[in-house]
């Protein structure tokens, strides 16, 4: 690709205007949206039963996308072809149905629960609650690092600006309105931001469709159309990876409990799935399209993750400007969601016994190392993959607490199951690869996602299976020892009083409507 085609297409004055006008608009929107919730503890942290089907659908889109889609989705298209694009798009949206199933179960268990960590505290106690809260905070921090790394790269690719300054200002803007209005402000702004994002994506798709029309000969020459083995494996790997890792993202749980009722939640996940699938497919197809149009090729020296930007660089300058606004909007959606999720994780970690302003200040301070890491992250996609494998190995034992028939599962059983899932990956790796060193290095997934053999597929399938086996094996062993010692068997009993759906909704509406300052002292 020539130097001219890879140079920034947006001048410094125009880039500054597009970025900062977009951020100012979102700041004003966030402050207005947060005016109702900034002195209301219920809306600031919970926003229980506050969102309609439409608003929640848009929010499920917001929590699933960020500017990183311009790198990861086209890359899979250049490697695994159209099959890989469909696999990634399906895996991005399908996990929403998990929340449609688990959300009503949580409400039935305890209608006042508003997060996964609150449930774990009530079901398993402090030890597992602390472990899960720490993992949640780590996960959200990694999401933020990934998103800031991405927007840093986007600003560097599309503008001549030093990307650090606009990246910091973006963090400041989202921090201001999320610290002011909490999750309710994030829900309101994300819904409106997603409307803008959908309009911009439609415009971009129309422009690309008109501007880039590869011939049948080019498509046949490059390939990427026929189903591939890797694409088929990605349907399984990515669905497991994204589905289990979403369980550690408080942003998904906040939106689940923000639904007005179970029916609205189910419809929102259904519509949200299709929105996510369509958006992810459209963006992902830019990878094969760039290859067919000749703006990117495997031997060009340009990574497949940059295929989308090679396509943009071949078009008029205003398309780069539109992409700049779109990327800024996507990052605002992702970052404010992560910040409110971090509020919830930290507040839960402290057992909701600290002043809410302490939590606000902590999140602000944590932005500093996150920005620093975003500038220096060597391979954030690799870190993401490791986090996904960790989630696959640890989440199922925790979810057993929702099943009444599994009321014998103790927190020690669940914790052993979490470690067992990790051990199972190492054992599988040793058996599959034939030696101890390479087998246990599979835990690091240092070969990445796109490998020729089935080691990654096996790791993501064995991890959850191993956690289940270890959980029940240890539970059986513990119960046997307890019986031999003549001690009483552990059985969890939910002492929460049952009430009708109408009573629960009335109570929660009153709770969220009470105008109390969001301050809870220890």
């Amino acid at each position: 690709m020539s130097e001219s085609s890879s140079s920034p297409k947006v001048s410094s004055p125009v880039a500054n205007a597009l970025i900062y006008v977009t951020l100012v608009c979102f700041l004003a929107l966030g402050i207005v949206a947060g005016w109702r919730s900034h002195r209301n503890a219920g809306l600031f942290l919970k926003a229980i039963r506050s969102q309609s089907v439409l608003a929640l659908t848009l929010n499920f889109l917001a929590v699933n996308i960020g500017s990183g889609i311009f790198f990861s989705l086209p890359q899979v298209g250049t490697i695994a072809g159209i099959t890989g694009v469909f696999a990634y798009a399906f895996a991005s949206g399908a996990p929403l149905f998990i929340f449609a199933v688990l959300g009503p179960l949580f409400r039935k268990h305890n209608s006042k629960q508003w997060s996964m960590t609150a449930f774990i505290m009530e079901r398993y106690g402090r030890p597992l609650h602390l472990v899960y809260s720490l993992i949640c905070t780590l996960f959200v921090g990694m999401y933020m690092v990934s998103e800031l790394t991405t927007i840093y790269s986007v600003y560097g690719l599309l503008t001549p600006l030093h990307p650090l300054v606009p990246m910091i200002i973006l963090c400041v803007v989202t921090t201001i309105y999320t610290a002011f209005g909490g999750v309710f402000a994030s829900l309101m702004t994300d819904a409106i931001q997603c409307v803008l994002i959908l309009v911009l994506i439609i415009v971009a798709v129309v422009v690309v469709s008109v501007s880039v029309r590869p011939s049948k000969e080019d498509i046949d020459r490059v390939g990427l159309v026929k189903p591939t083995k890797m694409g088929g494996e990605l349907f399984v790997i990515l669905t497991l990876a994204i589905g289990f890792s979403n369980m550690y993202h408080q942003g998904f749980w906040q939106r689940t409990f923000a639904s007005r009722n179970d029916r609205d939640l189910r419809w929102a996940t259904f519509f949200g799935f299709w929105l996510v699938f369509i958006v992810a497919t459209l963006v992902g197809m830019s990878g094969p399209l760039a290859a067919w149009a000749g703006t990117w090729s495997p031997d060009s020296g340009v990574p497949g993750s940059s295929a989308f930007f090679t396509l943009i660089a071949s078009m008029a300058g205003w398309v780069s400007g539109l992409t700049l606004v779109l990327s800024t909007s996507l990052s605002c959606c992702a970052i404010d969601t992560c910040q409110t999720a971090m509020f919830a994780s930290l507040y839960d970690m402290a057992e909701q016994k600290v002043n809410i302003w302490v939590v606000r200040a902590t999140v602000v301070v944590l932005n500093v190392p996150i920005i620093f890491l975003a500038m220096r992250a060597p391979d954030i996609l690799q870190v993401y993959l490791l986090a996904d494998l960790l989630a696959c190995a640890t989440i199922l034992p925790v979810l057993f607490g929702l099943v009444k028939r599994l009321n014998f599962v103790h927190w020690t059983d669940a914790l052993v199951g979490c470690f067992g899932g990790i051990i199972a990956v190492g054992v599988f790796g040793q058996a599959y690869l034939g030696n101890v060193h390479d087998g246990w290095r599979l835990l690091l997934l240092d070969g990445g996602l796109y490998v020729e053999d089935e080691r990654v597929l096996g790791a993501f399938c064995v991890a959850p299976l191993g956690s289940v086996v270890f959980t029940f094996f240890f539970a059986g062993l513990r119960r046997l020892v307890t019986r031999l010692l003549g001690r009483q068997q552990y059985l969890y009993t939910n002492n929460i009083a049952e009430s009708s759906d109408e009573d629960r909704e009335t109570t929660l509406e009153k709770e969220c409507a009470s105008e109390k300052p969001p301050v809870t002292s220890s």
Side-chain angles (χ1 to χ4, degrees), residues 5 34 37 105 114 127 132 201 286 309 318 328 338 370 392 411 491 520:
S5 65
S37 59
L105 288 178
W114 56 279
Y132 182 84
I201 287 177
S286 63
F309 294 96
W318 69 268
T328 302
C338 287
I370 286 173
C392 285
W411 71 265
L491 288 176
T520 305

Side-chain angles (χ1 to χ4, degrees), residues 116-128:
M116 183 72 162
T117 45
F119 159 75
I120 292 173
M121 181 65 183
E122 189 270 321
R123 170 61 177 85
Y124 289 110
R126 181 61 171 166
L128 197 61

Side-chain angles (χ1 to χ4, degrees), residues 99-253:
F99 295 94
V101 174
L102 294 184
L105 288 178
F106 274 108
R107 280 177 169 161
K108 186 176 180 180
H109 178 86
N110 180 1
S111 60
K112 292 186 178 181
Q113 299 290 3
W114 56 279
S115 69
M116 183 72 162
T117 45
F119 159 75
I120 292 173
M121 181 65 183
E122 189 270 321
R123 170 61 177 85
Y124 289 110
R126 181 61 171 166
L128 197 61
H129 169 265
L130 183 60
V131 171
Y132 182 84
S133 297
L134 287 171
I135 296 177
C136 280
T137 305
L138 177 64
F139 260 76
V140 173
M142 290 169 58
Y143 272 89
M144 288 184 66
V145 170
S146 174
E147 187 57 38
L148 291 177
T149 300
T150 303
I151 197 63
Y152 186 90
S153 300
V154 170
Y155 287 156
L157 286 168
L158 295 180
T159 76
L161 304 174
H162 192 293
L164 178 61
V165 175
M167 183 183 73
I168 291 176
I169 294 177
L170 187 150
C171 279
V172 170
V173 166
T174 55
T175 301
I176 289 173
Y177 70 75
T178 53
F180 177 74
V183 65
F184 187 78
S186 175
L187 290 169
M188 295 294 99
T189 53
D190 282 356
I192 298 175
Q193 286 166 348
C194 277
V195 173
L196 173 63
I197 289 168
L198 289 173
V199 171
L200 293 177
I201 287 177
I202 291 172
V203 172
V205 169
V206 171
V207 171
V208 171
S209 300
V210 172
S211 304
V212 182
R213 294 183 178 181
S215 64
K216 185 177 183 302
E217 290 75 17
D218 291 332
I219 295 175
D220 292 338
R221 174 176 50 83
V222 176
L224 302 178
V225 176
K226 296 180 179 179
T228 61
K229 172 176 170 289
M230 182 175 293
E233 292 179 354
L234 289 178
F235 269 102
V236 178
I237 296 173
L238 292 175
T239 302
L240 290 173
I242 297 174
F244 284 122
S245 64
N246 286 352
M247 299 291 103
Y248 283 106
H249 195 321
Q250 286 278 26
F252 285 94
W253 293 116

